[in-house]
Amino acid sequence: MGYVVDRWHLSTPPKGAAECGEHKGKVAAKAHGKGKRWQARYNGPDGAERTSLHRTKPEAEKEITKQEASKLDGSWIDPDRGKTKIEQVVFDIWLPATNTIERTKREYRGVMNRYLIPEWAGREVRSIRPSEAGAWQNLLTSKYELGGATPNRVSRLVRSVFRMAVIDRMIPVSPFDGIKAPTLVEPHIDPPDVSTVRLIIKEAHRDRWAVMAQLDALTGMRSGEIRGLRVDNLRLLNQALDVHQQLVYEPGKGYYLDKLKTGAGRRTLPLNKAAIDLLAWYLSKYPPPAQGEWAGLVFTMPGGTPIGESTLDWAFKAMCTKAKARRYRWHDLRHHYASVLIAGGENPKVVSRRLGHTDVAFTMRIYAHLFAEAEEQTRSVLDAAWAEPGETDGSGGEISQPTGRNPEPVSRERALVQVNP
């Protein structure tokens, strides 16, 4: 659509103007008789009319030319939306647009209320300068005393708020552009090995804890995923387990089954013979509840109620203590599963998919040192394959040469049990 330049702030109307109707319907503004007398009117890409005031007609015309050009090249910014307050951008625009489950949105809301809103409440989104963005990031460690990977995680969430403001044409660029994010400090992963996990499992004082620990070591499920495992997720004849939901607890709401945070979290895990036999034995000895809210839940407390996260952690730490092992966390069984796959030469993409990670780069960051150890094992295999006959290794022993051929398959008897809950 076109544009209009109006001279509408007149000090005194020309003689006879009232009679001829030239200024009919026009009202003098507070700046009547002085200041910005020219109004530029134009339609934005959304069709809504915008106006701005200028001192001279050339300035008004220049503004309209600028706005029309920005609409054509896609750089147009809504001057009014830049005045939106930070809290409105966060809770009314960014949060509803995040592609995640409601429970995660509540977590995000809590992060914003703790670390962002107290610093910038009432500020217009366009008013935040890059220097202020950098200073805010420093507060995460200095004022709020966050450590580990948390400063990076909080900063990434806030940065995404301003990226949304850019996409929504509120601001031309994010104030975080050019500001380095807090260093991502990944914790060093030192999972228990197979022999240690075996010792821990032997010290379980209930079959429930022993079976859950071994199954987790063989599948790498998260705590909420294994506690929310249902019989209809098991496909024992197909040697597979579907991870489609998790058990969560929310104050005021209690326990309930919820979908996973990301699409990558929904996955199918292959089950080996040990896992299949373990589940078949447990389900035959401890049938899941047949009715009620928790019908079909594989692992429950004696009364058929869900197992809390803290209860599972307490049981596992007690097992570690009795086994005279380090007080591992339940999550370390998940790391153990990943370490076994990596040591066995699994492709990083496969490991990432088995763990339900959204990005293989995330998997590589967490387990970088384990992949490095696996690379060294690959070098040893290659050295052995290309060693000359009679060549010895560094310790004086003769290097055994692999043939490079797959061994003949060995037939195994498999005892599969179809469990009907």
Side-chain angles (χ1 to χ4, degrees):
M1 297 184 67
Y3 60 85
V4 179
V5 178
D6 288 335
R7 183 176 183 179
W8 71 317
H9 288 137
L10 300 176
S11 55
T12 56
K15 185 176 180 180
E19 290 81 358
C20 69
E22 180 182 348
H23 292 272
K24 184 177 181 181
K26 301 223 175 176
V27 179
K30 292 180 180 179
H32 178 77
K34 60 182 178 179
K36 299 179 179 180
R37 297 166 176 255
W38 291 88
Q39 180 192 64
R41 288 191 287 132
Y42 64 94
N43 291 336
D46 55 1
E49 185 180 80
R50 266 78 175 182
T51 62
S52 59
L53 298 178
H54 304 272
R55 296 181 64 85
T56 65
K57 182 176 181 180
E59 288 179 0
E61 291 175 331
K62 182 178 179 181
E63 175 65 17
I64 289 176
T65 301
K66 171 186 170 183
Q67 296 296 340
E68 292 296 325
S70 65
K71 286 194 294 182
L72 291 174
D73 64 20
S75 64
W76 184 81
I77 300 297
D78 189 334
D80 294 327
R81 297 199 74 199
K83 302 175 184 178
T84 308
K85 299 294 190 291
I86 291 290
E87 50 267 42
Q88 290 177 275
V89 178
V90 171
F91 300 122
D92 299 337
I93 299 172
W94 171 78
L95 195 60
T98 54
N99 184 23
T100 187
I101 60 178
E102 188 60 35
R103 183 169 56 86
T104 302
K105 288 183 179 180
R106 287 193 291 271
E107 295 175 5
Y108 290 171
R109 187 179 292 108
V111 169
M112 296 300 170
N113 280 324
R114 282 193 296 272
Y115 306 118
L116 178 66
I117 302 305
E119 307 300 332
W120 289 344
R123 294 283 300 274
E124 295 180 354
V125 66
R126 66 179 182 178
S127 72
I128 306 301
R129 299 185 298 273
S131 58
E132 292 179 294
W136 173 82
Q137 281 192 164
N138 292 334
L139 291 178
L140 296 176
T141 53
S142 62
K143 177 179 178 179
Y144 295 102
E145 299 181 345
L146 301 180
T150 307
N152 181 273
R153 175 176 173 271
V154 172
S155 176
R156 282 190 290 111
L157 287 177
V158 172
R159 286 167 177 263
S160 69
V161 171
F162 285 90
R163 281 198 299 273
M164 178 61 70
V166 172
I167 295 171
D168 254 19
R169 307 294 188 186
M170 297 181 186
I171 52 177
V173 295
S174 167
F176 286 92
D177 283 1
I179 303 297
K180 185 179 178 181
T183 302
L184 180 58
V185 181
E186 296 288 0
H188 180 73
I189 304 300
D190 185 20
D193 57 20
V194 174
S195 61
T196 301
V197 172
R198 289 182 186 275
L199 287 174
I200 294 172
I201 292 173
K202 286 180 180 179
E203 297 300 333
H205 60 286
R206 294 284 186 273
D207 289 341
R208 179 192 313 112
W209 311 131
V211 172
M212 291 182 74
Q214 186 172 351
L215 181 64
D216 209 51
L218 294 172
T219 60
M221 287 188 287
R222 298 177 178 90
S223 172
E225 293 169 348
I226 194 168
R227 290 182 296 114
L229 184 65
R230 298 172 60 91
V231 172
D232 54 11
N233 300 134
L234 304 177
R235 296 187 284 119
L236 300 188
L237 293 178
N238 295 326
Q239 306 173 50
L241 181 156
D242 296 323
V243 182
H244 288 169
Q245 76 271 321
Q246 59 186 332
L247 181 70
V248 297
Y249 176 82
E250 185 179 338
K253 188 173 181 179
Y255 289 105
Y256 62 96
L257 291 173
D258 198 6
K259 61 182 180 180
L260 303 175
K261 287 185 177 182
T262 64
R266 289 177 58 91
R267 61 201 187 277
T268 296
L269 297 173
L271 297 177
N272 66 347
K273 183 178 185 301
I276 293 171
D277 294 343
L278 186 71
L279 282 165
W281 173 83
Y282 184 80
L283 290 172
S284 63
K285 186 174 181 180
Y286 303 98
Q291 57 186 359
E293 182 182 4
W294 307 112
L297 200 63
V298 175
F299 300 109
T300 65
M301 297 301 285
T305 56
I307 299 171
E309 183 176 13
S310 59
T311 301
L312 187 60
D313 287 339
W314 171 85
F316 189 66
K317 284 185 170 59
M319 292 160 61
C320 292
T321 300
K322 289 185 67 177
K324 295 181 173 54
R326 198 177 79 199
R327 285 174 63 85
Y328 290 102
R329 304 167 303 146
W330 182 265
H331 201 75
D332 287 319
L333 289 173
R334 178 171 164 83
H335 295 321
H336 162 83
Y337 172 76
S339 70
V340 171
L341 296 185
I342 294 169
E346 277 283 23
N347 185 289
K349 289 185 178 180
V350 174
V351 178
S352 182
R353 190 162 61 247
R354 296 285 182 261
L355 294 172
H357 290 164
T358 56
D359 184 7
V360 68
F362 177 73
T363 309
M364 293 294 290
R365 287 199 305 269
I366 294 178
Y367 302 109
H369 62 295
L370 299 181
F371 280 109
E373 292 172 5
E375 290 174 0
E376 185 59 37
Q377 180 180 350
T378 300
R379 296 186 187 98
S380 299
V381 171
L382 290 172
D383 287 342
W386 287 87
E388 296 292 338
E391 185 177 345
T392 60
D393 57 22
S395 61
E398 185 173 344
I399 299 177
S400 60
Q401 291 183 290
T403 63
R405 295 189 298 272
N406 291 328
E408 293 297 324
V410 179
S411 61
R412 291 184 178 178
E413 294 183 2
R414 304 186 67 88
L416 299 183
V417 179
Q418 180 65 55
V419 180
N420 296 316

